[in-house]
Amino acid sequence: MNKKNTNNNFKTDFPFFKNNPDLVYLDTAASSLKPQVVIDAIKEYYEQYCINPHSQDYQLAIKGNDIFEDTRKIISKFINSNENEIVFCPSATFAFNQIAYGLEKYLQENDEILLTNLEHSSLLLPFYRLIKTKKIKIKFFETNNQGVITIENLKKVLTPKTRIVAFANINNSLAIENNTEKLTNFIKDYGQKYLKNNDWVFKNILVIIDGTQSIAHTKTDVKKWNIDFFAFSGHKVFGPTGIGVFWGKNEWLNILEPLILGGGMNDCIETNGRFSLLASPTRFEGGTQNIAGVFGLGAAIKYLLSIGMENIKNHQISLKKYALQQLTKHLSNNIEIYSDNINSSNIIFNIKNVFAQDVANFLGTQNICVRSGTYCAKLLSNTLNTSATIRVSLYIYNCKKDIDLLVTALKKGINEGGDFLNEFF
Ligand SMILES: Cc1ncc(COP(=O)(O)O)c(C=O)c1O
């Protein structure tokens, strides 16, 4: 438990609430709020360091670089990887573009890439782009009705042509954790049996995990999960925007083509057009990095560790239980809930006969921040059988009062406003 914060009132760690005392923030899945310690770490960089880690000729730059590299250590420990496998990048979106770009040259005609309907555009589109240049196939596999991937789902789609399987450990809608270790082992066993050794450079099916939502909600263990690539964005886990992490097994990182070429990542440049690259992770960190972002991300992970993942999970489960109770008690005739599993930190719902965005906009007028639509996962409607929903996402700084205010606002929309459309327009 955070030493400063023994009464579980985490709101006091977040200046957002001091500056917006009337707002109920239920949109963490879009971006988490930033604790003071993260803001202080960013300020510390600009006020005390302001250095470029590429300069290593004076003490301050060396010290600043030590903090930069210490953050790499903190993150590698946090996700249980080797230190030189942690690449800093702008975001998960950037990371998936890098991975798909790097894998392109190894893909051959008729190779298959497997994805689910619940994935974020940032995971789907970099692979979609490859269809333009390579005669490969993108195939989708189903999840169960809770949005979870099962071995049965995989059995239906894996073939000897499968080269890549990519999915989120926790997706950004129904948000129940997949058993990534079990699924990956099944995929790898399948690959071992059906891929001939000389089939392609990677010898087995690659598993790419989108950890953007899961990083703040569950323990990540890339070694235990036995996966090949993993990525997340710092802003989903108390950190700043513009900084993310791309992880890959060393053997892959050293043969992937970097998306970005520039200073700091090359070993030698000749006048004949030849150049060579440094080893990972530097090879992927061309140009001046988001150093303040790295300082902030380090502080964010330390802050999360000071609370403890178990405490985060327990808090979320008790809040979700309470939210489900209250929503069904007060709105049972008017609400349709798509994610009633208490292990999911999200509540995906619709108010019957009202368009999701109208409800979300109305809640906005009542100082309640939620998100509506498909959450950049445009194929989600294929699973939910509805074009749009409302998402309430819960995190450590939310409390029962936030849920009470949400329920009161929804009741107001339904009872007093006649309907949300009349109220809002
Ligand atoms: C599951 C998932 N993957 C990837 C992303 C992309 O993150 P970013 O926009 O920070 O690159 C998001 C963002 O919402 C997400 O929820």
Side-chain angles (χ1 to χ4, degrees):
M1 187 70 63
N2 188 359
K3 280 194 202 90
K4 272 194 319 174
N5 209 332
T6 45
N7 63 358
N8 234 356
N9 180 12
F10 288 98
K11 279 191 162 67
T12 55
D13 289 348
F14 295 80
F16 175 92
F17 293 112
K18 211 164 87 195
N19 295 319
N20 300 286
D22 298 329
L23 277 193
V24 175
Y25 190 75
L26 297 170
D27 197 19
T28 293
S31 207
S32 75
L33 300 178
K34 319 304 170 205
Q36 188 64 51
V37 284
V38 167
I39 297 161
D40 289 346
I42 297 166
K43 265 181 78 191
E44 185 191 355
Y45 167 71
Y46 284 118
E47 287 179 357
Q48 293 181 37
Y49 292 93
C50 248
I51 50 84
N52 190 326
H54 291 164
S55 296
Q56 282 295 286
D57 298 320
Y58 49 95
Q59 276 312 309
L60 193 66
I62 293 169
K63 209 169 147 206
N65 187 50
D66 286 348
I67 299 178
F68 188 89
E69 290 304 325
D70 278 349
T71 306
R72 207 187 295 280
K73 284 190 196 132
I74 292 168
I75 291 164
S76 79
K77 205 164 157 216
F78 185 56
I79 68 167
N80 192 26
S81 74
N82 300 322
E83 220 175 290
N84 61 356
E85 294 169 329
I86 299 293
V87 178
F88 291 120
C89 64
S91 62
T93 300
F94 183 96
F96 298 130
N97 276 275
Q98 164 65 74
I99 295 167
Y101 175 80
L103 291 174
E104 180 177 5
K105 74 174 180 197
Y106 301 111
L107 289 165
Q108 288 159 8
E109 198 167 327
N110 294 326
D111 282 351
E112 293 173 356
I113 297 174
L114 307 186
L115 301 158
T116 84
N117 276 324
L118 300 175
E119 305 315 323
H120 193 273
S121 325
S122 61
L123 189 64
L124 300 179
L125 294 186
F127 290 110
Y128 271 40
R129 182 157 54 191
L130 300 186
I131 309 175
K132 286 192 190 157
T133 50
K134 294 262 168 174
K135 286 193 171 146
I136 54 162
K137 286 194 188 120
I138 304 251
K139 286 173 41 179
F140 283 87
F141 58 105
E142 286 177 5
T143 58
N144 70 14
N145 62 1
Q146 307 254 325
V148 175
I149 302 166
T150 67
I151 299 285
E152 291 312 308
N153 300 138
L154 284 173
K155 274 185 188 162
K156 287 187 200 154
V157 281
L158 282 166
T159 77
K161 284 281 167 202
T162 307
R163 295 289 178 265
I164 295 169
V165 183
F167 59 90
N169 187 39
I170 293 181
N171 61 58
N172 70 359
S173 51
L174 296 164
I176 303 174
E177 188 175 0
N178 278 305
N179 189 335
T180 294
E181 185 184 352
K182 190 169 147 200
L183 296 171
T184 306
N185 285 336
F186 182 80
I187 294 164
K188 297 280 179 188
D189 284 350
Y190 181 95
Q192 203 112 75
K193 249 190 255 164
Y194 295 103
L195 266 181
K196 286 187 225 91
N197 253 357
N198 57 357
D199 264 1
W200 84 312
V201 63
F202 293 119
K203 309 291 184 264
N204 206 327
I205 298 168
L206 296 188
V207 178
I208 300 170
I209 296 298
D210 178 354
T212 312
Q213 291 293 332
S214 71
I215 194 75
H217 290 277
T218 194
K219 204 170 159 4
T220 301
D221 190 329
V222 293
K223 281 196 183 140
K224 189 160 159 249
W225 291 354
N226 190 22
I227 58 178
D228 300 280
F229 294 103
F230 177 82
F232 69 90
S233 290
H235 71 96
K236 306 276 187 186
V237 57
F238 298 130
T241 51
I243 186 72
V245 169
F246 152 46
W247 170 86
K249 274 187 183 156
N250 245 326
E251 57 220 275
W252 312 150
L253 288 187
N254 282 318
I255 61 167
L256 278 201
E257 190 70 22
L259 185 59
I260 298 295
L261 299 175
M265 50 81 78
N266 62 76
D267 185 27
C268 103
I269 304 180
E270 297 170 31
T271 51
N272 59 12
R274 284 204 209 109
F275 61 94
S276 61
L277 304 179
L278 291 168
S280 167
T282 329
R283 140 196 184 92
F284 295 100
E285 293 176 357
T288 299
Q289 298 298 297
N290 179 356
I291 309 154
V294 171
F295 273 50
L297 182 59
I301 301 299
K302 281 190 205 156
Y303 177 75
L304 185 147
L305 290 170
S306 76
I307 301 170
M309 205 58 103
E310 270 316 295
N311 287 326
I312 291 177
K313 257 194 180 172
N314 292 338
H315 180 75
Q316 174 250 297
I317 288 173
S318 79
L319 211 53
K320 174 84 183 250
K321 266 187 198 158
Y322 181 73
L324 289 175
Q325 268 167 15
Q326 294 305 303
L327 288 168
T328 43
K329 180 172 161 197
H330 295 283
L331 300 156
S332 64
N333 294 331
N334 304 90
I335 195 166
E336 183 166 6
I337 298 177
Y338 301 85
S339 58
D340 58 0
N341 188 311
I342 54 155
N343 291 312
S344 155
S345 54
N346 291 351
I347 306 159
I348 302 288
F349 68 98
N350 264 325
I351 297 297
K352 288 179 188 161
N353 305 319
V354 189
F355 185 56
Q357 198 175 4
D358 293 334
V359 177
N361 286 347
F362 170 75
L363 289 174
T365 67
Q366 305 299 301
N367 287 331
I368 296 178
C369 310
V370 298
R371 171 110 181 240
S372 66
T374 53
Y375 326 115
C376 294
K378 292 227 162 57
L379 303 176
L380 173 65
S381 25
N382 293 346
T383 300
L384 295 186
N385 288 324
T386 179
S387 62
T389 53
I390 302 138
R391 179 181 70 188
V392 161
S393 47
L394 306 168
Y395 206 40
I396 192 75
Y397 35 68
N398 293 121
C399 58
K400 286 184 175 171
K401 191 172 165 216
D402 295 339
I403 304 296
D404 294 341
L405 290 168
L406 169 73
V407 172
T408 305
L410 286 169
K411 274 165 62 181
K412 182 176 177 196
I414 292 164
N415 299 332
E416 292 171 29
D419 67 34
F420 287 90
L421 287 171
N422 290 345
E423 178 78 21
F424 193 64
F425 291 111

